[in-house]
Amino acid sequence: GEYTSNGLELGFNNPTSLSGARIVVDPGHGVKDKGAAGFNPNYPEAVINWEIAQKLASALEDSGAAVKLIKTQGVSVEPTMQERASTARAFAPHIYVSVHSNSGNASAVGSEVYYFYPFAKNLSGYAASEMASALGTTNRGGKYGLYYVTRESQYVSVLCETGFVSNQNDYNKLIENKYLKRVA
């Protein structure tokens, strides 16, 4: 929709359904920066993020969305933060989703989603709740956070922390296919 007042014209490009929505899915970390270690060296954060991101991209495409999955595994050089942002802007998305797995002390549990601009707050709260429900863990909610990937104002941007790889229970679920599908 559009809004015009006193010569100022604003355009809103919000999708009303997944069909036709343009969404960038960006798995955090990559081939060299593996993120948090977790409990199994074969499944560090970067691998978990990639698995979730692939499943998310597939589910979104099945719902009619146009999806740009930023490739972070199976590449010789992982994209920089600037390259990720540039790729996203070139795709002109409605929504940008950065997929991560959290790390902290061994007792920390749950899912949380960060946003920077108020127009991304509702999506962050909804995503945190849905991920926590999928993992059967604590909903830590939508949270304000200034991250490189959340401060883009041209589209709704969120950074999802799916669960804690530093918590044995969360981690065990994050490496099981059935939970990864639910989280996605």
Side-chain angles (χ1 to χ4, degrees), residues 17-151:
S17 72
L18 285 177
S19 181
R22 298 178 61 77
I23 302 171
V24 171
V25 178
D26 182 5
H29 303 287
V31 292
K32 290 189 179 177
D33 174 10
K34 298 192 182 304
F39 294 89
N40 180 333
N42 295 321
Y43 295 99
E45 178 186 359
V47 172
I48 293 169
N49 299 346
W50 175 247
E51 291 297 321
I52 293 170
Q54 287 181 101
K55 289 170 178 35
L56 175 58
S58 179
L60 291 168
E61 287 171 342
D62 289 348
S63 296
V67 178
K68 175 68 174 176
L69 175 62
I70 295 179
K71 196 154 177 152
T72 59
Q73 297 293 308
V75 294
S76 56
V77 178
E78 66 191 70
T80 65
M81 297 307 293
Q82 294 81 6
E83 289 168 336
R84 292 170 194 251
S86 177
T87 298
R89 277 192 299 278
F91 189 68
H94 298 106
I95 299 170
Y96 174 97
V97 179
S98 180
V99 178
H100 284 264
S101 302
N102 224 337
S103 185
N105 65 49
S107 63
V109 297
S111 300
E112 58 194 12
V113 179
Y114 290 91
Y115 68 93
F116 180 70
Y117 292 103
F119 55 78
K121 184 176 183 178
N122 287 346
L123 177 60
S124 70
Y126 177 76
S129 174
E130 291 299 308
M131 288 187 304
S133 177
L135 282 174
T137 191
T138 302
N139 176 8
R140 297 168 63 100
K143 298 180 174 185
Y144 173 84
L146 176 59
Y147 292 99
Y148 191 91
V149 297
T150 61
R151 66 182 189 216

Side-chain angles (χ1 to χ4, degrees), residues 52 55-56 99 111 127 130-132 134-135 162-163 173-174 177-184:
I52 293 170
K55 289 170 178 35
L56 175 58
V99 178
S111 300
E130 291 299 308
M131 288 187 304
L135 282 174
T162 58
K173 291 177 181 177
L174 286 168
N177 197 43
K178 70 178 181 178
Y179 285 103
L180 292 175
K181 282 184 176 180
R182 284 192 222 159
V183 169

